[in-house]
Amino acid sequence: MCNENQTKPDVYDWVLSPEIREHMRTARPLTVEEKADIIDSGCRPIVDKYAALTALLREADREEDKAILTDLLKLYDWAFEELHSRRPEQVFIFQETWWKDDPLDHDPCGVQGVFRTYEELTDYLKEYEGYYEDPPLGYPDGIDFRGYVEKWAEVDGKMQSVLGLNIFLVDGKIIIQDFDPWYLESVRKDGYKELGIRYEAERIHSYGTGLTTFPIPFRSGDLVQVEVPSMARPRYGVVAVVEALGRYVHMAYIENDCLECMDLSYRYYDLTSGWRVIDWTRPVQPSDLPEGYGLLTELSDALHALDEQDIAAIDSLFFGVLGEEDSRHVRKVFRAPEPIPLAELLDD
């Protein structure tokens, strides 16, 4: 078990988008599960997360919340023990990663190092950190995803992946930002059950809590900017926010002369990108849009003119403009060199 930080954490400080962070502070009190989700998925070292979750457990009142946090900490205890354990034929493989200009995609650049023990790995990561004395150029908040480490070992007579680690560079420091408990999920089919970890704690760490319920400062028609460290430039778009058996948030944005759709309804962009919506999304004004993006302003005005409770009208307008050329909602919106008018797109 790692050392516990006795200081009560300010959970809101774990949210990187200043606008979303400040809105959360005043909108309503967060539930304990929401706070645990924010801590568990934050861009901080896993040892800091353990300390913050421990502090959250101390202040929890409901027995149900205490049980979930206890099990979540039990999962972290397992990860710390696995890092230092010595399994037969074990190796830690560090694969450096370069991101493409897309929040959902990245390219592995091959194996950077293979190590027998966690101590050997951390010694190398400290040396690796020295290559980056300054924050990555052009990256927001000095954050960069640097690669992935997998621990492999012989289990049941064959080599299997038992643990994965996300390696980030934050303010010039290499951190282990997250862990994937492959042993519990893949090697042992009932691994969580064997440890006595209930599904609610497993869900927070492995899947997120489904559709997010965090207070966000957006309504249908608002213009927003998404800029994650993997992007060479920000994306600008219009959101549709619909409450229907949960809150769904979609963003229509222009890319390569097409209107595309990004799902902002869950913890991460399009479910699995690894970049949190509450960290890298912020509201913008029409004057912030790049030249030639007037279609977004038209769509914004049209959505703002609708009743926010009229779900059918919002869906009809938003997805009517996006079209359905394929399952990803990609539609050509420029007839070079001019954009196609909104009214014409709706008529098609």
Side-chain angles (χ1 to χ4, degrees), residues 103-120:
L104 317 177
D105 206 359
H106 63 278
D107 273 343
C109 288
V111 174
Q112 187 73 14
V114 180
F115 312 93
R116 281 292 182 184
T117 66
Y118 177 62
E119 289 72 25
E120 290 179 8

Side-chain angles (χ1 to χ4, degrees), residues 315-343:
D315 271 357
S316 178
L317 174 59
F318 186 82
F319 290 105
V321 173
L322 276 166
E324 297 185 5
E325 292 186 3
D326 61 31
S327 60
R328 293 181 61 237
H329 298 291
V330 178
R331 189 178 196 188
K332 196 76 173 177
V333 292
F334 276 79
R335 188 186 297 113
E338 297 296 327
I340 301 172
L342 177 65

Side-chain angles (χ1 to χ4, degrees), residues 138-159:
Y139 286 163
D141 299 305
I143 293 174
D144 184 15
F145 179 80
R146 292 311 310 155
Y148 191 67
V149 171
E150 278 195 313
K151 179 181 178 181
W152 286 72
E154 184 181 302
V155 182
D156 298 331
K158 62 180 179 179
M159 291 295 289

Side-chain angles (χ1 to χ4, degrees), residues 23 29 32 42 66 74 97 129 145 180 223 261 271 278 304 313:
H23 179 76
V32 171
K66 291 179 181 179
K74 192 183 300 182
T97 301
E129 177 185 285
F145 179 80
D180 294 316
L223 294 166
C261 186
L271 299 181
I278 59 173
H304 278 156

Side-chain angles (χ1 to χ4, degrees), residues 146-262:
R146 292 311 310 155
Y148 191 67
V149 171
E150 278 195 313
K151 179 181 178 181
W152 286 72
E154 184 181 302
V155 182
D156 298 331
K158 62 180 179 179
M159 291 295 289
Q160 301 191 58
S161 176
V162 295
L163 180 68
L165 305 171
N166 286 321
I167 306 300
F168 275 66
L169 183 72
V170 180
D171 294 329
K173 300 294 183 183
I174 287 290
I175 68 167
I176 297 175
Q177 179 267 346
D178 195 14
F179 63 90
D180 294 316
W182 299 131
Y183 182 84
L184 302 179
E185 295 183 359
S186 303
V187 179
R188 289 284 183 265
K189 298 301 182 183
D190 294 323
Y192 287 104
K193 185 177 180 181
E194 291 175 6
L195 281 182
I197 296 175
R198 67 199 66 213
Y199 172 71
E200 291 81 3
E202 173 192 352
R203 180 186 63 178
I204 287 174
H205 183 75
S206 298
Y207 313 109
T209 52
L211 294 171
T212 61
T213 57
F214 303 129
I216 56 173
F218 309 127
R219 64 186 181 92
S220 291
D222 284 356
L223 294 166
V224 301
Q225 170 192 296
V226 172
E227 184 180 15
V228 304
S230 61
M231 291 178 174
R233 62 192 179 284
R235 265 66 165 177
Y236 297 90
V238 183
V239 293
V241 184
V242 173
E243 297 278 355
L245 299 178
R247 184 187 65 206
Y248 291 85
V249 184
H250 292 91
M251 182 182 83
Y253 68 101
I254 296 174
E255 183 71 13
N256 297 324
D257 293 343
C258 291
L259 199 63
E260 302 197 19
C261 186
M262 187 181 294

Side-chain angles (χ1 to χ4, degrees), residues 99 103-106 228 268-276:
W99 289 86
L104 317 177
D105 206 359
H106 63 278
V228 304
Y268 302 119
Y269 295 109
D270 284 308
L271 299 181
T272 59
S273 73
W275 299 110
R276 297 195 307 183

